[in-house]
Amino acid sequence: VLFRIEGKTSEFCAGSVAAPNPMEVVKLAAGICNFTYHIQNTSLGEYLDQIGSDAAQGATGWLYLVNLVSPSVGATSYAVKSGDEVLWYYGESQWKPMRIALDQAKISSGASVQATVEGYASGSWSPPSGATVSAGTATAATDANGKANLSLPDGAYRVFAEKSEYIRSEQELLLVGQVSESSLSLS
């Protein structure tokens, strides 16, 4: 299954693993991306209450989606199948997933890139205005159509979007200008 684990302030890990359920995804991802986690045994089964320093507090905690849907069973009881996408996130149950797309993955020095951001709710994607698109230290707010433009100095950037009550988007790699492959870390 494909997976992504979004913490309070950054992505912990993304990739793919062979796992029978979303809880096992976390356990295997911890070995791949070298993070710590804590699982509490409760009367309802295993509960993931912490990854790294992001610990559950009140209504905010670790939740999971499979193919953008919140299953009605615990993470050890949901059987994932090949091709499923598992998203673990630190947040609240009503938060909606976001995605980002860049109009180009590589731009020349001095050019700008346009990011399109969408949020998922009620079975469809739509633009959330006022989302923040970040790349390095640069940020831009999306307009009513979910679009934002960024102009960046030469380098390699991980571009993502975030907004209150939304799950941070995946990261897209952007190359600006002449970037040598030896200076690029894709881990």
Side-chain angles (χ1 to χ4, degrees):
V1 298
L2 297 173
F3 72 89
R4 184 163 51 99
I5 301 172
E6 285 293 333
K8 185 188 298 188
T9 59
S10 65
E11 179 182 280
F12 274 96
C13 193
S16 64
V17 293
N21 60 57
M23 190 65 78
E24 194 66 24
V25 167
V26 171
K27 295 174 184 178
L28 294 170
I32 296 168
C33 295
N34 197 31
F35 60 81
T36 60
Y37 64 90
H38 183 263
I39 296 172
Q40 182 179 13
N41 288 313
T42 72
S43 60
L44 299 174
E46 290 184 345
Y47 170 64
L48 178 66
D49 63 0
Q50 185 168 350
I51 294 180
S53 62
D54 296 347
Q57 299 177 43
T60 305
W62 285 98
L63 301 159
Y64 78 99
L65 303 174
V66 177
N67 302 323
L68 303 175
V69 175
S70 178
S72 59
V73 297
T76 56
S77 298
Y78 188 93
V80 294
K81 54 189 179 302
S82 181
D84 279 348
E85 294 184 21
V86 176
L87 171 61
W88 278 96
Y89 70 96
Y90 183 83
E92 297 183 17
S93 62
Q94 75 277 9
W95 288 14
K96 301 174 271 306
M98 274 200 307
R99 67 181 179 188
I100 189 169
L102 304 178
D103 65 349
Q104 301 174 75
K106 182 173 178 152
I107 59 175
S108 57
S109 296
S112 66
V113 65
Q114 184 175 73
T116 302
V117 178
E118 295 178 301
Y120 187 80
S122 303
S124 66
W125 292 96
S126 61
S129 65
T132 301
V133 176
S134 299
T137 59
T139 61
T142 59
D143 62 18
N145 297 314
K147 309 270 186 204
N149 292 308
L150 289 169
S151 295
L152 301 158
D154 287 6
Y157 299 91
R158 295 184 183 280
V159 184
F160 61 92
E162 54 191 347
K163 183 178 178 172
S164 177
E165 298 187 14
Y166 282 83
I167 303 164
R168 188 176 25 264
S169 76
E170 74 283 10
Q171 299 178 17
E172 292 292 327
L173 181 64
L174 172 65
L175 303 177
V176 180
Q178 298 298 320
V179 179
S180 71
E181 289 184 22
S182 63
S183 68
L184 205 56
S185 171
L186 298 177
S187 63

